[in-house]
Structures are given as C-alpha cells and as structure tokens.
Amino acid sequence: MIRRAALLSVALAGALALTACANTVRGVGRDVGNTVDATQGAVADVAR
C-alpha cells in the first residue's frame, strides 16, 4: 500500500513538472513572437 502511494505521488509530481514545462515553452514562444514584431516595427520606422 505504501509503495502504491509513493508511485502515485511520483506520477503526480511528474505530471505537474511536465505541465510547468509546457507553460514555460509557450511563454517563450510568445516572447520571441513579440520580439520579432517589435524588431520589424523598428526596422519599418528606420526605413521611413
């Protein structure tokens, strides 16, 4: 019974860690997208 509880705890902790990683990767993608947009805007301002 204790082994089963330990295994369940490890599985839940792993799932939580994977969820956190997915959110971080999604946030990085948004940051990169915003950086590209800002750079393109700056280039357009300089070209005018």
Side-chain angles (χ1 to χ4, degrees):
M1 189 68 171
I2 292 175
R3 184 176 179 187
R4 182 182 241 178
L7 182 61
L8 181 61
S9 296
V10 169
L12 288 174
L16 182 62
L18 288 175
T19 301
C21 291
N23 289 334
T24 300
V25 170
R26 188 177 302 124
V28 168
R30 288 181 187 157
D31 290 342
V32 170
N34 290 338
T35 302
V36 169
D37 291 343
T39 304
Q40 288 175 344
V43 169
D45 289 343
V46 170
R48 289 183 197 169

